[in-house]
C-alpha cells in the first residue's frame, strides 16, 4: 500500500515537474520573443538554420530504415519547419 | 528479435505522420532520390523516391499561398538468411518483398503568418497496409519570433492474423486491425539573431498498446565566424502502461540524442555531419524481464547547387532550371550485432 501511494505521489510529482518545465519554456519564449528585429534575422533565415530547406542533407532512407529495429524511432522531433515567418514557414 | 518484423512494421506505420510541421513553398519543386542499404545479416534494400510540390497560389481571400505536395516511394527488400524470422516465412513466404507508399499534402498560408495543412498517406507491402490522415495548422506570434503548430493524425493498419505462443505459454494474438490517433504540438522560438530553440510534444493512443507520449527539445545555433551551425536535439519517448496479449512486445521507453553540424563549404555547397544515439528499454509482458537495445547512426551529407545553364552552355542550352545534387552516406550499428551501411543520392530542382 505504502509503495502504491509512493508510486502515485511520484507520478503526480513527475507531472507537476513536467508542467513546470513546459510553463518555463513558454515563459522564456514569451519573454525573449521581442528581442529579435526583422533586420536581425539574416542568419536565422539562412539555409543552415532552416529545417524546411535541409532535406537535401538528410539521410532519410537510413533514418526510415531504423524503424525495422527500433520500436520508437520516428517519434518526437517536433518543431521541424521553416525559421522564415514571412515565407509562410 | 523474434517479434521484430511484425512490431516494427506496425510501429513505423502508426507513429509516422504523413507530413511535418512545414509549410508550402513558393515554387514548384521536384526531387528524385535513390538509396541502397546493406547489413551484416545479408539483408539488402533499395529505395526509389519521387517528391513533387506544386505552387497552387492564393485562390481564396486572405490566402497568401498554397501548394500541393506528393511523395511516391518504392522499396525493394531481400532479407538475408540471418534476418529471416518465422513470421517472414509464414506470412510472406519469400525473402523478397516490395513496399509502396504514397503521401499527399495540401498546404495553405494565410495572411503570411499562419498556415494550415491536410494530408493523407497510404503504405503497403502487400500483406500489411496502413492508411493515415492528418490535419494541422500553425502561426507566428510576438513580432514573428514565436511559432506554435499543432497536428492531428489518425492511422489504420490492417495485417494478417498471426498468433504466437509467448514464453509464459500465453497466446499472443494481435488484432488484425489497429487504429491510432495522435496530437502533436511544436513550438519554435527565435531567441537571438543566431539561436532558434525548438520544443515539441505528442500523445498517441493506440488500440493495442499503451499511449505513446514524446517530448523533444532542440536548438539551432549559427556560428557566423565558422559559417556553420550546430543542431542538437533530445527526444524522450514513453510507451508504458498495461500491456496485454494484443501486442507482441512489452512496455518500452526510449531516449534519442541527435547532434549535427552543418557547414557552408562554398557558395553552392553545403555539408552535414550528424550523429544519432538511441537507447530503448523494454519490460516484457511475460515475466517482466528488462531488455535494452542501443544503436548509433553516423551520417555525412553533401549538397551542391548547380546554377541555371550549368554544363558550360549558354543560357537556354544547358539545364534550364537550377539543380541541387545531393549525396549521403551512413553507418548504423546496434548492440544486437547489426552493422549496416546506407548510401543515398538524389537531384532536385525548383522552378
Amino acid at each position: 500500500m505504502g509503495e502504491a501511494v509512493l508510486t502515485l505521489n511520484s507520478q503526480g510529482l513527475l507531472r507537476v515537474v513536467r508542467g513546470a518545465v513546459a510553463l518555463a519554456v513558454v515563459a522564456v519564449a514569451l519573454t525573449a520573443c521581442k528581442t529579435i528585429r526583422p533586420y536581425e534575422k539574416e542568419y536565422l533565415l539562412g539555409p543552415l538554420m532552416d529545417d524546411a530547406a535541409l532535406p537535401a542533407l538528410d539521410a532519410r532512407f537510413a533514418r526510415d530504415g531504423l524503424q525495422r529495429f527500433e520500436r520508437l524511432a520516428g517519434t518526437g522531433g517536433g518543431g521541424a519547419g521553416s525559421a522564415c515567418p514571412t515565407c509562410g514557414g | 528479435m523474434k517479434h521484430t518484423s511484425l512490431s516494427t512494421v506496425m510501429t513505423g506505420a502508426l507513429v509516422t505522420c504523413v507530413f511535418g510541421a512545414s509549410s508550402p513553398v513558393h515554387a514548384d519543386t521536384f526531387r528524385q532520390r535513390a538509396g541502397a542499404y546493406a547489413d551484416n545479416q545479408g539483408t539488402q534494400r533499395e529505395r526509389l523516391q519521387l517528391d513533387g510540390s506544386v505552387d497552387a497560389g492564393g485562390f481564396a481571400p486572405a490566402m497568401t499561398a498554397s501548394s500541393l505536395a506528393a511523395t511516391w516511394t518504392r522499396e525493394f527488400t531481400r532479407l538475408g538468411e540471418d534476418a529471416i524470422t518465422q513470421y517472414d516465412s509464414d506470412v510472406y513466404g519469400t525473402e523478397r518483398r516490395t513496399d509502396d507508399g504514397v503521401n499527399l499534402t495540401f498546404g495553405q498560408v494565410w495572411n503570411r503568418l499562419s498556415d494550415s495543412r491536410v494530408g493523407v498517406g497510404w503504405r503497403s507491402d502487400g500483406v500489411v497496409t496502413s492508411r493515415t490522415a492528418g490535419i494541422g495548422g500553425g502561426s507566428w506570434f510576438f513580432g514573428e519570433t514565436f511559432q506554435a503548430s499543432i497536428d492531428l493524425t489518425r492511422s489504420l493498419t490492417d495485417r494478417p492474423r498471426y498468433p504466437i505462443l509467448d514464453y509464459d505459454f500465453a497466446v499472443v494474438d494481435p488484432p488484425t486491425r489497429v487504429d491510432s490517433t495522435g496530437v502533436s504540438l511544436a513550438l519554435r522560438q527565435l531567441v537571438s539573431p543566431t539561436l532558434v530553440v525548438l520544443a515539441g510534444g505528442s500523445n498517441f493512443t493506440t488500440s493495442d498498446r499503451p499511449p505513446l507520449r514524446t517530448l523533444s527539445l532542440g536548438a539551432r545555433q549559427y556560428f557566423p565566424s565558422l559559417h556553420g551551425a550546430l543542431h542538437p536535439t533530445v527526444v524522450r519517448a514513453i510507451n508504458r502502461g498495461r500491456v496485454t496479449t494484443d501486442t507482441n512486445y512489452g512496455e518500452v521507453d526510449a531516449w534519442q540524442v541527435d547532434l549535427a553540424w552543418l557547414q557552408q563549404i562554398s557558395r553552392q555547397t553545403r555539408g552535414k555531419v550528424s550523429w544519432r544515439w538511441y537507447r530503448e528499454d523494454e519490460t516484457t509482458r511475460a515475466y517482466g524481464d528488462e531488455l535494452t537495445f542501443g544503436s548509433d547512426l553516423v551520417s555525412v551529407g553533401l549538397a551542391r547547387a548547380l546554377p541555371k545553364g550549368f554544363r558550360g552552355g549558354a543560357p537556354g542550352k544547358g539545364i534550364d532550371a537550377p539543380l541541387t545534387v545531393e549525396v549521403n552516406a551512413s553507418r548504423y550499428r546496434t548492440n544486437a550485432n547489426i552493422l549496416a551501411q546506407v548510401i543515398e543520392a538524389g537531384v532536385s530542382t525548383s522552378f
Side-chain angles (χ1 to χ4, degrees):
Chain A
M1 182 69 180
E3 188 179 339
V5 170
L6 183 63
T7 304
L8 185 65
N9 288 342
S10 300
Q11 289 176 344
L13 184 62
L14 199 58
R15 286 198 188 100
V16 170
V17 170
R18 283 177 185 160
V21 170
L23 284 175
V25 169
V26 173
V28 169
L30 296 180
T31 306
C33 63
K34 304 241 176 188
T35 58
I36 311 297
R37 303 286 184 269
Y39 55 83
E40 295 175 320
K41 294 180 181 174
E42 175 190 353
Y43 298 129
L44 300 178
L45 304 183
L48 298 188
M49 296 289 279
D50 191 344
D51 291 333
L54 290 172
L57 292 171
D58 275 343
R60 199 188 307 179
F61 185 29
R63 285 181 173 266
D64 290 350
L66 305 179
Q67 294 181 5
R68 296 178 184 273
F69 304 106
E70 303 172 0
R71 287 158 179 149
L72 301 182
T75 61
S82 173
C84 173
T86 50
C87 294
Chain B
M1 295 295 289
K2 70 171 184 174
H3 301 152
T4 297
S5 296
L6 180 59
S7 61
T8 49
V9 167
M10 287 162 40
T11 307
L14 290 176
V15 302
T16 304
C17 294
V18 292
F19 51 83
S22 58
S23 294
V25 293
H26 302 293
D28 298 337
T29 62
F30 295 94
R31 166 177 285 110
Q32 49 186 316
R33 202 167 229 225
Y37 165 103
D39 67 28
N40 60 350
Q41 293 187 315
T43 297
Q44 295 181 338
R45 296 207 304 272
E46 294 86 33
R47 176 193 272 192
L48 296 172
Q49 181 165 327
L50 298 176
D51 297 285
S53 177
V54 178
D55 183 356
F59 52 83
M63 185 188 290
T64 311
S66 67
S67 71
L68 183 63
T71 298
W72 171 82
T73 307
R74 170 162 283 190
E75 189 172 315
F76 304 95
T77 300
R78 189 178 68 202
L79 294 172
E81 285 186 10
D82 295 338
I84 296 177
T85 63
Q86 191 64 42
Y87 172 79
D88 296 314
S89 302
D90 293 345
V91 173
Y92 292 92
T94 172
E95 78 279 13
R96 294 175 187 271
R97 70 184 64 160
T98 303
D99 271 275
D100 284 302
V102 177
N103 287 337
L104 294 171
T105 305
F106 180 50
Q108 309 85 34
V109 179
W110 306 92
N111 291 323
R112 300 186 68 83
L113 296 180
S114 302
D115 61 273
S116 57
R117 49 198 167 264
V118 57
V120 293
W122 172 88
R123 183 171 181 178
S124 177
D125 61 5
V127 173
V128 179
T129 301
S130 65
R131 298 169 296 280
T132 308
I135 186 168
S139 191
W140 286 89
F141 304 96
F142 306 109
E144 302 175 16
T145 55
F146 179 78
Q147 185 191 37
S149 300
I150 188 167
D151 287 279
L152 305 173
T153 310
R154 181 162 173 78
S155 299
L156 290 175
T157 301
D158 290 312
R159 58 192 177 184
R161 183 163 183 247
Y162 192 75
I164 59 170
L165 197 61
D166 209 344
Y167 292 115
D168 61 350
F169 299 105
V171 176
V172 174
D173 190 4
T176 56
R177 168 164 286 194
V178 177
D179 65 87
S180 170
T181 305
V183 57
S184 304
L185 178 68
L187 306 175
R188 171 186 298 264
Q189 170 69 49
L190 310 187
V191 176
S192 80
T194 57
L195 176 63
V196 180
V197 173
L198 311 170
S202 68
N203 184 72
F204 279 78
T205 57
T206 307
S207 57
D208 66 338
R209 299 275 310 162
L212 169 63
R213 298 187 176 95
T214 67
L215 283 174
S216 66
L217 195 60
R220 307 287 182 260
Q221 173 66 54
Y222 189 77
F223 296 89
S225 59
L226 300 174
H227 305 291
L230 187 67
H231 291 200
T233 307
V234 178
V235 179
R236 174 67 168 153
I238 299 173
N239 187 206
R240 290 192 173 271
R242 183 169 173 267
V243 172
T244 69
T245 53
D246 277 353
T247 178
N248 50 21
Y249 61 95
E251 302 178 59
V252 288
D253 62 66
W255 284 100
Q256 179 181 315
V257 177
D258 280 279
L259 204 56
W261 177 261
L262 290 93
Q263 181 69 46
Q264 190 74 42
I265 298 169
S266 70
R267 188 174 176 183
Q268 284 92 19
T269 309
R270 295 194 294 271
K272 178 180 180 181
V273 178
S274 65
W275 172 72
R276 173 188 179 275
W277 175 85
Y278 179 87
R279 177 193 165 114
E280 180 182 286
D281 292 302
E282 176 183 2
T283 307
T284 64
R285 183 201 59 80
Y287 292 119
D289 294 336
E290 300 288 338
L291 308 174
T292 299
F293 174 87
S295 70
D296 68 8
L297 174 74
V298 177
S299 297
V300 179
L302 207 61
R304 180 170 172 80
L306 305 177
K308 190 174 179 178
F310 182 71
R311 287 197 296 194
K317 291 188 176 179
I319 299 169
D320 286 335
L323 292 178
T324 299
V325 177
E326 53 203 53
V327 291
N328 275 279
S330 305
R331 190 229 57 193
Y332 179 64
R333 188 176 58 183
T334 78
N335 66 348
N337 289 325
I338 294 168
L339 181 63
Q341 289 87 32
V342 185
I343 293 179
E344 303 168 62
V347 61
S348 63
T349 184
S350 295
F351 299 95

